Amino acid sequence: MNTKGLVNWAIWIGAVSGVYCALYITTIGAFTINNVLPGWHIMYATFTALPIYFTAGAKREDYLKYVLSNLAGVAYGMLYLVVIDRLLPVMPIWLNLFLSIGIICIVECAIHFTVLGKLPISVVPAHFGAISNTFWCSNLTMAVLGTAGKTAVNGGYNFTALGVLAITLVCGVTLGLVCNEGLNFIDAETGSWKLPGSKKQAN
């Protein structure tokens, strides 16, 4: 694609991202600020899920795989945090993290690279992005609410906001798809705007 086409695509990406942020902050964000994390939202998690999918091409046929893999990543993140929490009184934190992160990561990658490799939950980079978000979202929740999760025996996590996080990650994958779909409105040869499926330039 020529420079004109790339600039038009940049305009598309910027426009849809701006619309997304406005819609998010007045809906999911407002709900989170008022009901889940008073005074805080977690829209920024969008921009972890988006680039992971976007860098892989944001193909329509891969959309569900990235959505499900992000959700699987949240579940894995919860597993990491539960194990870390249980081991807190047993060993130093450095050894705790070395063992819990290392062992679970080995198992996670091994089974998704092999026996579960063909399932639509096996995009491991999406797992890692979601796991990272699960970690900081749990920490932010603890900082805002000042309490540990009901099942956190040793106060090592709080899962209160993880439902909103899961929705936000799905929104991020969706935004990545919409950003990529902008290419359908740009003529690959001239870089001009066009209607999808049309051979004739729109302007």
Side-chain angles (χ1 to χ4, degrees):
M1 186 181 296
N2 60 24
T3 301
K4 181 179 180 181
L6 293 173
V7 170
N8 281 336
W9 192 25
I11 292 170
W12 172 273
I13 292 171
V16 297
S17 295
V19 168
Y20 168 87
C21 289
L23 290 174
Y24 184 100
I25 203 62
T26 54
T27 55
I28 301 168
F31 173 79
T32 308
I33 288 170
N34 294 318
N35 300 287
V36 184
L37 297 172
W40 294 79
H41 64 82
I42 57 173
M43 180 173 63
Y44 18 83
T46 299
F47 301 98
T48 300
L50 185 157
I52 293 171
Y53 179 43
F54 196 69
T55 301
K59 299 174 183 175
R60 290 182 190 177
E61 59 269 26
D62 290 336
Y63 173 78
L64 187 59
K65 287 182 1 185
Y66 277 81
V67 165
L68 295 177
S69 293
N70 271 279
L71 297 179
V74 172
Y76 272 116
M78 294 169 72
L79 174 62
Y80 281 110
L81 288 171
V82 168
V83 172
I84 291 168
D85 176 73
R86 297 305 191 272
L87 294 177
L88 282 174
V90 179
M91 59 186 68
I93 188 63
W94 67 267
L95 182 58
N96 180 341
L97 294 177
F98 173 74
L99 292 174
S100 56
I101 300 292
I103 292 172
I104 296 173
C105 186
I106 290 169
V107 173
E108 174 192 355
C109 290
I111 64 173
H112 286 281
F113 288 163
T114 57
V115 294
L116 300 183
K118 293 185 179 180
L119 294 182
I121 55 169
S122 294
V123 183
V124 175
H127 288 187
F128 289 156
I131 290 166
S132 171
N133 280 283
T134 301
F135 286 178
W136 68 248
C137 186
S138 174
N139 283 344
L140 174 64
T141 305
M142 291 175 67
V144 173
L145 300 181
T147 58
K150 292 179 181 178
T151 60
V153 175
N154 298 297
Y157 60 81
N158 189 328
F159 293 160
T160 302
L162 292 192
V164 177
L165 174 64
I167 292 169
T168 303
L169 292 171
V170 172
C171 289
V173 176
T174 304
L175 180 58
L177 177 64
V178 174
C179 285
N180 203 49
E181 288 295 310
L183 291 172
N184 294 314
F185 295 90
I186 300 170
D187 188 289
E189 294 182 4
T190 67
S192 298
W193 293 104
K194 71 178 182 69
L195 295 174
S198 171
K199 295 181 180 178
K200 201 173 181 181
Q201 297 175 11
N203 53 46

